[in-house]
Amino acid sequence: MYLPHQTWPDLGEYVANESLAVVPLGSTEQHGPHLPEGTDYMIAEALAREATERTGHLCTPPIPIGVSSHHRQFHGTMWIEAPVFRDFVESFSRNLTYHGIDRIVYVNAHGGNVDHLREVGRRLHDDATAYAIEWMWDESIPGLIEEVFETPGPHGGPKETAMIMHIAETLVREDRLEDARDGGTVFDYDAERVHGATTFYDAIENSQNGVFGDQTDATPEIGTQLFEAASEQLVRLLEWLDDQPLEDLLPEPHVDPQPDRGT
């Protein structure tokens, strides 16, 4: 059920019986010479729409711009400062709770958003407004990604390339896949640390063209496989969350600091 396509009476009927909403989030940022800047939010929206069509749950419009200042040296990258992003997502989420939603899944496809979405979820949880959790598609199927790619890369690599080949193949510049691989970096997290410290802040410090991994390993067929597997994981998450009693999801009452006083 896609919220922008519904009327308000339709949505009233939904919240009379259901209380779960899915919010797709991503970014509008560089993804190398071969992928569109909307890669992350396009993946998030496609997965959210697929899972909610299967389950009948509510899907909101995507939030297409995220915490992406570390990609700012590349043309077209847009970003929201972290405090503003957190406040915006929290306000957006409280809009939903006003209308009767008490469970939210943030379908996220951008690593820079993760910590901030967790913080928003904690705020909503602490005041018992709603139970909101972040879900990242590639983290739901790590075994499959390791199986199909030798060097998947954390950004703009073959896993995202394959997913966009499945979702919007005409937007992939397939004639630039080798350029993406050869001008990028095979990311090694341990090698990027100095005596245990992470010493970089911007993507260009690690990759001159902004991407990692071997993009030539991507195919539309692999993209379909990844999309189906991640969609299934999201469907299972939504079904699990829908089945949980709300009281089990919200915080326990505060522990009495003086349990014996007055007895």
Side-chain angles (χ1 to χ4, degrees):
M1 184 181 219
Y2 190 49
L3 189 152
H5 293 176
Q6 308 303 314
T7 66
W8 71 260
D10 297 330
L11 294 166
E13 290 180 13
Y14 177 83
V15 294
N17 298 288
E18 303 286 348
S19 61
L20 191 156
V22 175
V23 180
L25 305 97
S27 66
T28 299
E29 64 183 25
Q30 71 84 16
H31 276 78
H34 64 301
L35 289 180
E37 303 243 338
T39 288
D40 285 345
Y41 85 79
M42 291 168 61
I43 291 173
E45 183 177 23
L47 288 167
R49 295 285 298 272
E50 178 70 17
T52 52
E53 284 187 15
R54 293 188 193 182
T55 62
H57 287 115
L58 183 67
C59 180
T60 74
I63 297 176
I65 301 175
V67 182
S68 300
S69 63
H70 49 296
H71 292 288
R72 67 186 184 274
Q73 296 90 345
F74 298 93
H75 297 303
T77 292
M78 308 186 77
W79 67 91
I80 302 172
E81 296 299 335
V84 178
F85 176 79
R86 290 192 296 268
D87 288 346
F88 178 84
V89 175
E90 181 179 356
S91 179
F92 185 98
S93 300
R94 291 185 187 277
N95 291 175
L96 294 171
T97 66
Y98 177 83
H99 292 292
I101 298 298
D102 58 31
R103 300 144 210 256
I104 301 170
V105 176
Y106 300 123
V107 173
N108 178 39
H110 174 52
N113 295 340
V114 173
D115 290 342
H116 309 292
L117 293 173
R118 289 284 299 169
E119 168 62 18
V120 172
R122 185 192 65 76
R123 294 178 188 178
L124 297 171
H125 181 262
D126 285 356
D127 64 15
T129 297
Y131 184 78
I133 53 175
E134 184 264 351
W135 178 84
M136 191 87 164
W137 74 270
D138 55 339
E139 293 182 0
S140 76
I141 52 171
L144 177 58
I145 290 173
E146 291 179 5
E147 176 185 329
V148 297
F149 298 126
E150 184 175 349
T151 55
H155 177 77
K159 61 185 179 183
E160 291 184 327
T161 303
M163 284 287 271
I164 295 298
M165 285 177 169
H166 170 72
I167 295 166
E169 187 172 8
T170 58
L171 297 183
V172 179
R173 280 63 165 182
E174 296 193 35
D175 59 326
R176 299 178 184 173
L177 295 181
E178 291 186 4
D179 291 341
R181 177 196 63 196
D182 297 341
T185 302
V186 177
F187 191 83
D188 182 347
Y189 183 76
D190 292 332
E192 304 297 332
R193 294 172 66 85
V194 177
H195 303 301
T198 302
T199 58
F200 59 90
Y201 288 96
D202 295 321
I204 202 168
E205 297 171 18
N206 302 101
S207 173
Q208 286 301 302
N209 71 2
V211 295
F212 306 89
D214 186 351
Q215 292 76 9
T216 63
D217 286 345
T219 67
E221 292 74 22
I222 292 176
T224 300
Q225 188 179 3
L226 297 178
F227 185 85
E228 289 300 322
S231 295
E232 180 61 27
Q233 290 297 312
L234 181 54
V235 165
R236 292 180 183 180
L237 175 62
L238 299 183
E239 291 175 340
W240 171 84
L241 184 56
D242 190 44
D243 286 342
Q244 304 309 302
L246 182 60
E247 58 269 21
D248 291 350
L249 298 171
L250 296 180
E252 294 288 336
H254 189 276
V255 175
D256 187 346
Q258 297 178 318
D260 297 326
R261 186 172 182 176
T263 61

